[in-house]
Amino acid sequence: MNSEEQKPESNADGKGERRAAFEKVWKAPTGFEDWFKTVNNQPFGNRFMMTSFVFFLLAGVQALCMRAQLAVPDNDLLGPEIYNQLFTMHGATMMYLVILPFLEGLAIYLLPLILGTREMAFPRMSAFSYWVFFFGGVIFYTGYLFNAVPDTGWFVYPPVSLNEYSGLGLDFLLVGLGFIEIAGVGTGIEIATTILKFRAPGMSLGRMPLFAWAWLITAIMIIFAFATLFGATVMIEMDRALGTCFFRPQCGGTPLLWQHLFWFFGHPDVYIMFIPATGIVSMIIPAFARRPIAGYTLIAVAIMATGFLSFGLWVHHMFTTGIPLLSFGFFAAASLMIALASGTQVFAWLATLWRSSPDYKTPLLYVLGFLFLFVLGGVTGVMVAIVPFDWQVHDTYFVVAHFHYVLIGGVVFPILAGLHYWLPLIIGKMPSERLGKWSFWLIFIGFNLTFFPMHYMGLKGMARRVYTYPESLGLGWLNLISSASAFILGAGFLVVAYNVVYSRKRGVTAPRNPWNAGSLEWSVTAEMPNYVFLAPPVIRGREPLWDQSDEPHDPYLESIAKALKNEPAEWRAALVTDAVTGEPQAIQRVSGPSYFPIIAALGLLVTSVATLFQGYLVALVGTIFTIIVAGLWLWPRESELELMRRSKLPSKTGLPVEPTGSAAAPWWAMVGSLAVIGTIFGVLLYSYFYLRVYSPEWPQGSIKPPNFSGGAHYLLLLTSLGSILWARRAYNKADAASAAIALTVTALLAALFIAALSAQLADAEFAPSRNAYASIFHVTSWHMAALASGGALFLITAATRIAKHKNYLKGYTTLHLQITELCWYFTCVTALLVYLTLYVSPYAF
Amino acid sequence: MVQGKEELPDRSTLITNGKVGGTRLIFATLGGAACWLAHLLLSYGIAEMLCVAEILREPVLGLSGIGWMLVMISAALIFTALAALAVSLRLCSAASYAKGTEQGSAILFTARFGALSNLIFVVVIAVESIPIIYWLKEC
């Protein structure tokens, strides 16, 4: 796309009017509305990044306070209580509020530009995720207002995190964390759908920029990892607020269960931050080396392998907790093998730079710093993957050094590289090179002097998470160097912030593509319109702006792009392409400005704050309010649907404007949502069997579990499979009345199931707080009831839509039914697994 | 319809002619990774549960019952991952005849991606399993 394309055209043939209408449809709200109603990717990308930077400053101040405390031995500057609060808030802020949200902001900002599409798949989800993240961060820090700051560590290990030992401060952290998990999962689903379905025509998987590859894998990882943490967080909050026994040893629970669940999230979380950082590096190196990346396919495979393997390493955080010797092999080997995948990327980057004549500008300096530091962090990672070595250095400063090399060297350095690299696109000005180089050297030197000595401190036995150390350890001088250098590191970050502000005000206006890069985002400038691309760009190679491809132009793709120039002008839309081949599949409506995202986030805030102070009635009202708002948000306006049905685009392009099945973005959103719900059920079922294995008696407390017939109400869900199949048959025959009746019958069966299950739980001889068995039985059943309720809601809305649109049984109505079917089949399969676990397994083995 | 579209070859042929079906493509691409995930979760589950419950711990032919279960699971999943590798290699040759076309290039990349990935995961499963036979036999 060139600058001419962004100018209005002449009025010939009504093209000027179409262009004006198109511009109007994509116009962003202004003034007050801009703050709360806008949904475009650029403002929300910016908001994510700026908010996380504010939290970064807070975390930095906390780190400097800690280093001041540790500067000399036997220091009592802060004392143990404040020190515990500081390392908890520093760790939690960096892990939950800084790195990933910043990277998500960068992704939301850049992905439409890099993929050649007009918007993210679900712009309102971007807005909702931002507001939820923002409220979560505020809740996180509200503890300071009540003098109730969490002090358990960011990992929240029980029994310290149970209410006998931790007060309101931890509730703030856990509720804030719940918000951040929801925001993370929402963003994950949105990013995965965008990358899979919203690519420019011709951008097959093999031509997708590595930044997008990295984010595709990361987004899928976020869905599973954050869902696991969400399940675990709810369980520990139940232990604290409702007296359940999942992690409480005195009533049959086990704190180790938390460690398993937490690290099943926690270890992938490191890679959730690292993989997008590698995506940034893979974009910058070719731009500066002036050549395509070496080993593209190998890097893509390495990203995927890293994503998978990262879910197999969680036990290496638990080598000292006592696990069967047999298990060491799997986890140590997986921990070692992941170095293979990471190493592959390092060699590919070095090969790309090899014998090139790069211009050593600030972004490249940060990348080179990353390569050096990450390799060091990786080597110590391999060391702690070896079980006997891990036993030796566990909970020492060696581990602190290792993970800071990985997280600052491996993640923050690429973020800083990316910030300097894409700043011309974000603020429209070139960053100052002089300030950039100053910041790099301050950060690089400050970082190494702060953290490298910690390897030695750890080997000498200095324990982490302890507020001081004795002089006899002989590490005073090293700690002093480390503390003084931390201030140099902090100064470096301040120079980065100053550079952004200074360059924005006084920087040189950035030209188009200032680095002469080959990727698509540089085809536009910071003054890009909301829709970014007037017509979808046709992709013929991996570096579209270098266009080295010798493949001929594809007339079909060119004609699709031409037909979509300025179009549609009545509603916001983007082209949907095949996930593998990048072939055009459909034209998908994308949502426009709305207050619903912030109102839904506020509803969630009311629910959570009420829960925090045990106002359960208000929490219930908040939940119902949020569900109603979500319903209004998702329900498409009839006037807009009518416009779509009158569109000439299907006849011009051969592509549907009301896509169905896997061609439709909402279908992928449902798949993602079901993956989240399934993972939470996985957490509950894993917990059931884990508690069972480690319990000398099962069910505990001589409880007689319900037998096969005790779960007869689950048969209602099995029966409902027949009625939903009946609905599908009737719909295929365009018999709207029968389809609506069949869906209503299915919903009634669901309602009967929920009523019977509720009655069983109300009459149960064991309360959820009696022991761990009772807790897991009740909570799994509640979750099953909640899933069936959600499914019933979908069934009723689908029945209503089919009954209402009986003369138009296609397009969105078909999609609605498909999504409902997907949800209901999932509900039935989950119900079968829950039934087998709760009602059959206690008698079967 | 799009101008000139009629003169183009049928763009859906490669996907739908049976040579490159969706399920087959997914197995060829992610089969090895899925086998590794299944291997890790099954091995961990069996080792954790049976060792704690003290079931099948007696040695048979130098290895405990649990060890033999793990070895058998490893063998089965390595075999399945190898099958995924074979399918991805066959897809490479199936797609290479259409390399010049948009879809042919896309499928060829996906098949090569799958072949590399399956190879890596076969190695990872093997590396995770070998210590069971020699060094890490006990609960």
Side-chain angles (χ1 to χ4, degrees), chain A residues 202 204-207 213 260 264 296-298 300-302 304-305 308-315 323-331 333-334 337 340 539-540 542 551-552 554-557 559-560 578 580-581 583-584 650-654 686 689-690 693-694, chain B residues 1-5 8 11-12 15 25 29-30 33-34 36-37 39-41 43-45 47-53 64 66-67 70 99-103 105-107 109-110 112-114 116-118 120-121 123-124 127-129 131-132 135-139:
Chain A
S204 59
L205 279 181
R207 291 174 182 166
W213 262 108
H260 277 289
F264 191 79
Y296 172 93
T297 310
L298 275 174
V301 172
M304 189 276 276
F308 263 89
L309 288 170
S310 71
F311 280 95
L313 313 183
W314 84 92
V315 173
I323 57 169
L325 196 62
L326 270 167
S327 301
F328 283 143
F330 325 133
F331 295 104
M337 293 305 285
L340 193 74
I539 304 300
R540 297 166 56 231
R542 284 178 188 158
E551 288 183 26
D554 186 322
Y556 170 68
L557 298 184
S559 64
I560 293 282
D578 180 76
V580 175
T581 61
E583 283 282 296
S651 59
K652 275 186 182 174
T653 60
Y686 170 80
F689 287 107
Y690 189 88
V693 162
Y694 281 94
Chain B
M1 298 301 285
V2 181
Q3 195 181 6
K5 193 181 174 190
L8 293 168
R11 300 180 73 85
S12 61
I15 301 286
L25 196 61
T29 315
L30 296 172
W36 168 79
L37 197 61
H39 175 257
L40 186 95
L41 294 178
S43 305
Y44 161 69
E48 185 92 24
M49 308 249 168
L50 298 189
C51 283
V52 173
S64 67
I66 303 170
L70 298 179
K99 194 184 171 187
T101 66
E102 289 280 327
Q103 289 200 17
S105 312
I107 303 292
F109 167 80
T110 313
R112 282 179 180 162
F113 177 98
L116 278 167
S117 143
N118 292 328
I120 287 174
F121 283 105
V123 173
V124 177
V127 169
E128 286 181 3
S129 313
I132 299 167
W135 300 289
L136 300 174
K137 298 177 185 179
E138 308 299 327
C139 281

Side-chain angles (χ1 to χ4, degrees), chain A residues 540-555:
Chain A
R540 297 166 56 231
R542 284 178 188 158
E543 310 281 358
L545 301 193
W546 291 345
D547 208 14
Q548 291 177 332
S549 170
D550 53 1
E551 288 183 26
H553 283 275
D554 186 322

